[in-house]
Amino acid sequence: CPYVVDLDEFRYAREEFSLDEWTDIVLGAIDYNPDGYETPQQKLAMITRLLPFVEKRLNMIELAPKGTGKSYLFGSVSRFGWLSSGGTMSRARMFYDISRRQEGLVFGHDYVALDEVQTINFTDIDEMRGALKGYMENGKYTVGSHEGMADSGIILLGNIPASSMNEYLNMFKDLPHVFHESALVDRFHGFLKGWELPRMNDDLKICGWALNSEYFSTIMHALRDDPSYRAVVDALVDLPERADTRDTEAVKRICTAYLKLLFPNVQRPGDITKQQFKTYCLAPAMEMRSIIKIQLGLLDPDEFGGKSIPAFGVKDVEQ
């Protein structure tokens, strides 16, 4: 191992770069060529995929066309995550195998990504749905007499036809039946519109010098245990009255992950401007949660129809 992982050194290094320069460094560290992207928005969309790498139990959904690199990123960038492609998934494999007395995939991984989720078969839909709902709510799972706890995020990755790539249409109709229940979908924090990312091409492959990928994945893993970023988010986000708890938690978790990835040098509320926090943390977090809310309204119009997330704001703090 030719390097030492020092979070303080990593944070200090961020001070030497502009945000544009830093996003290019992050992309290079995961083997992508920043010059291959057409817009800054595409770069930030790609970085959004890394949110579960740095934040515990961040649950996300990405639906996209084929060829945008989902499988590579979640399967190859970090040795701390797990990518499961198609096949059969059981409660025993995901959470705990009673016969073998063995912990499942959520134990010991930063995330479990279910790739090509539309092709996955679940051995017992009701059993899996109940286990997922409990785990995604509080990180705990009970199988028989065994009680466990884990910090892995649950990620759904699916390919959908171009005609379904619209947040105002029911995008879950082609997914397994287990994900057709609003109570389960509500436990996903955010939705990434994967169709906004370019298809993988030679121009997007890194060429030249870049930050060591193994080092960067270890840094992302270490950032998961740092509570200071959530404290900054709690201090900055202005909550409206009677805001739904799940909406609040989802937006704050996503904000915290963006802060870790884009502004790792921030240790106090005054270390980031109000505009920076709103533009690069709060606004994208609200958009990701809003799409979940729209889909909930389509899945269960009686309970969620016409509902939107609250208008979160940013508090004024001393710089």
Side-chain angles (χ1 to χ4, degrees):
C1 182
Y3 53 81
V4 174
V5 175
D6 186 330
L7 273 180
D8 288 335
E9 182 181 29
F10 181 78
R11 295 186 184 103
Y12 177 76
R14 170 64 180 89
E15 300 280 358
E16 304 299 317
F17 301 94
S18 68
L19 180 59
D20 288 341
E21 291 171 333
W22 187 252
T23 56
D24 288 356
I25 288 173
V26 171
L27 289 170
I30 57 174
D31 296 333
Y32 284 89
N33 175 22
D35 293 333
Y37 292 91
E38 296 179 358
T39 65
Q41 288 71 30
Q42 285 186 346
K43 293 180 181 180
L44 291 173
M46 176 58 77
I47 289 175
T48 296
R49 283 179 170 170
L50 298 176
L51 299 180
F53 291 62
V54 296
E55 182 68 8
K56 293 180 178 179
R57 288 196 301 109
L58 181 55
N59 308 312
M60 282 177 40
I61 303 171
E62 180 184 349
L63 300 181
K66 296 179 180 179
T68 58
K70 300 186 298 297
S71 302
Y72 171 77
L73 189 138
F74 285 98
S76 302
V77 166
S78 175
R79 60 188 172 89
F80 300 102
W82 184 273
L83 179 74
S84 180
S85 299
T88 300
M89 181 61 69
S90 65
R91 184 180 66 172
R93 185 163 184 246
M94 178 73 83
F95 295 103
Y96 183 76
D97 191 322
I98 296 176
S99 61
R100 297 182 179 181
R101 296 183 180 181
Q102 181 177 326
E103 298 286 356
L105 294 174
V106 298
F107 189 84
H109 291 108
D110 288 354
Y111 59 82
V112 175
L114 303 180
D115 196 15
E116 299 182 7
V117 67
Q118 68 275 9
T119 68
I120 292 179
N121 295 314
F122 294 94
T123 54
D124 187 318
I125 290 178
D126 292 334
E127 182 182 77
M128 179 59 78
R129 182 183 284 156
L132 281 171
K133 284 194 292 187
Y135 174 74
M136 292 168 67
E137 184 73 20
N138 54 34
K140 299 178 181 179
Y141 52 92
T142 301
V143 180
S145 60
H146 176 80
E147 295 183 356
M149 179 175 288
D151 293 319
S152 175
I154 303 297
I155 316 298
L156 299 189
L157 304 172
N159 299 320
I160 58 174
S163 59
S164 299
M165 296 176 192
N166 185 331
E167 63 262 42
Y168 296 100
L169 299 176
N170 184 354
M171 294 185 287
F172 287 75
K173 64 181 184 297
D174 296 324
L175 300 189
H177 189 69
V178 66
F179 299 113
H180 290 187
E181 185 188 73
S182 60
L184 177 57
V185 174
D186 195 20
R187 286 162 167 80
F188 284 94
H189 299 116
F191 185 102
L192 174 59
K193 295 187 286 187
W195 56 86
E196 294 185 345
L197 288 165
R199 282 183 58 85
M200 191 62 195
N201 59 73
D202 288 341
D203 290 340
L204 291 175
K205 297 177 182 178
I206 189 65
C207 180
W209 292 94
L211 194 64
N212 181 282
S213 297
E214 184 73 11
Y215 164 81
F216 185 62
S217 69
T218 307
I219 284 288
M220 289 193 290
H221 177 71
L223 284 169
R224 295 168 66 87
D225 291 322
D226 192 327
S228 64
Y229 297 96
R230 177 57 185 260
V232 171
V233 169
D234 286 338
L236 286 173
V237 174
D238 190 14
L239 301 179
E241 292 184 3
R242 294 185 292 277
D244 184 278
T245 300
R246 284 193 182 138
D247 291 337
T248 299
E249 183 61 22
V251 168
K252 284 189 172 184
R253 279 179 185 263
I254 297 172
C255 276
T256 303
Y258 272 121
L259 197 65
K260 291 176 179 179
L261 285 169
L262 299 177
F263 304 96
N265 55 306
V266 170
Q267 294 295 284
R268 299 174 298 105
D271 291 343
I272 185 171
T273 68
K274 182 177 180 179
Q275 189 59 47
Q276 282 179 321
F277 183 77
K278 181 178 180 180
T279 301
Y280 297 105
C281 299
L282 183 59
M286 290 178 62
E287 180 183 9
M288 292 179 69
R289 179 60 184 174
S290 291
I291 299 175
I292 295 291
K293 207 75 170 184
I294 292 169
Q295 291 297 301
L296 286 171
L298 295 172
L299 286 169
D300 189 350
D302 291 337
E303 182 173 354
F304 293 99
K307 292 184 179 180
S308 58
I309 69 168
F312 295 99
V314 184
K315 298 176 183 177
D316 291 317
V317 297
E318 295 183 5
Q319 300 297 320

